[in-house]
Every structure is written in C-alpha cells, then in structure tokens.
Amino acid sequence: MRKVKVYITLKEGVLDPQGKAVKNSLNTLDYANVNEVRVGKYMEVMMEDAENLEAQVEEMCEKLLANPVIEDYSYQIEEVIA
Amino acid sequence: MRKVKVYITLKEGVLDPQGKAVKNSLNTLDYANVNEVRVGKYMEVMMEDAENLEAQVEEMCEKLLANPVIEDYSYQIEEVIA
C-alpha cells in the first residue's frame, strides 16, 4: 500500500482572494508580521502499489486533482506498512 | 523572512464527502487501485521572523487556520533567502 501526498497550489501570478482574506484576518488578529498567504489543497491518496505508479499519479493530477490552467501540483509517495 | 507550510487535515473518523467524491471519480477513471482519498488544505504563509515564531504559528493555527474540533494541523518553517 502507498500513501501519496499531493500538494496543489495556485500558479504564480494567479489571484488568490482566499489567501488575501486569510492574510487580512491574521493581520487583524495582530499578526502584523504576516506578509502573504497562499491557500491550496492537500490530499492524501491511499492506493495499492503499481508498476507505473508515478505515471499514474501524474495522470491523476493532470486529469482530475489539479486544474493545469491555474494550478501547480507536487507529490510525495510513501510506503505504508500495513 | 520565513515560509511556513501549513497542512490541515480532517481528524480520523470525521466524514470526508469531498474525499469520497474524488475517490469515486478516480475509480471511474479506471484508477481502481485507489482505496481512499482525504482532502485537506495546504497554506504557505510568508512572514517576518520573530522570537516566538513557533508559538505564533501554533496560535494562528488554533485561532484561525484550522478548526480544532474537526481538523488537525502540522507545519514546517523554512528560511527564505531574499
């Protein structure tokens, strides 16, 4: 069994209203040293190992998990000891 | 300057309808070896260094970034070379 950790972030230059809202809230809570916040998605995918696992993960990200127009993705594959 | 990477995940046992929907979609796309998907949030917070930075980050997570009732959080602090 494998645990694939997928990180999905907005591409550089894409507006991030959610990030701005979080940043403003943090500054309002007196965390004045917070300059910028970028909000993205974090997914943990539990899947059976496969010969072409990396290729499969790339395909899953390109086809479904990330929007290639505005998002970047990265991932880590970990072995899960049952 | 520091880049704080914050990972927010649903606690064990908390229902994850979004994760289920992603899992079903992946299975429909013939990724039959996907057993489970958990969807969470990933945030990058750019902030000036501070003496009590770790305490600050914990406070920010507890107060705003994560919902302590249903979510767990973890974070990594990286130095950013300007």
Side-chain angles (χ1 to χ4, degrees):
Chain A
M1 178 72 83
R2 295 289 181 271
K3 176 190 272 193
V4 182
K5 294 182 170 185
V6 180
Y7 311 93
I8 297 166
T9 51
L10 287 170
K11 288 188 185 231
E12 209 60 42
V14 174
L15 277 183
D16 181 2
Q18 200 178 356
K20 283 222 170 19
V22 172
K23 184 239 182 218
N24 293 341
S25 304
L26 289 171
N27 290 158
T28 308
L29 289 170
D30 289 335
Y31 300 109
N33 57 333
V34 169
N35 292 342
E36 187 189 6
V37 176
R38 302 282 287 176
V39 177
K41 282 172 277 185
Y42 168 62
M43 296 189 199
E44 290 179 350
V45 182
M46 304 297 289
M47 55 197 295
E48 304 296 332
D49 195 6
E51 229 173 280
N52 58 344
L53 188 64
E54 285 231 12
Q56 246 192 333
V57 171
E58 300 261 343
E59 239 183 65
M60 285 163 31
C61 289
E62 300 275 343
K63 278 187 186 171
L64 185 78
L65 304 182
N67 175 345
V69 174
I70 59 166
E71 291 173 334
D72 288 322
Y73 66 84
S74 58
Y75 59 88
Q76 293 159 343
I77 299 176
E78 291 176 3
E79 192 174 339
V80 177
I81 318 292
Chain B
M1 178 72 82
R2 295 290 181 271
K3 176 190 272 192
V4 182
K5 294 182 171 185
V6 181
Y7 311 93
I8 297 165
T9 51
L10 288 170
K11 288 187 184 228
E12 210 58 45
V14 174
L15 278 184
D16 181 2
Q18 200 177 357
K20 283 220 170 17
V22 172
K23 183 234 182 228
N24 293 340
S25 303
L26 289 171
N27 291 159
T28 308
L29 288 171
D30 289 335
Y31 300 109
N33 58 333
V34 169
N35 293 339
E36 187 190 5
V37 177
R38 301 282 285 177
V39 176
K41 283 173 277 186
Y42 168 62
M43 296 189 199
E44 289 179 352
V45 182
M46 303 297 289
M47 55 196 295
E48 303 296 333
D49 195 6
E51 229 174 281
N52 59 344
L53 189 63
E54 284 232 11
Q56 247 193 330
V57 172
E58 299 261 344
E59 239 183 64
M60 285 164 31
C61 289
E62 299 274 343
K63 278 187 184 172
L64 185 78
L65 304 182
N67 175 344
V69 175
I70 59 167
E71 290 172 333
D72 287 323
Y73 65 85
S74 58
Y75 60 88
Q76 293 160 342
I77 298 176
E78 292 178 2
E79 192 173 338
V80 177
I81 318 292

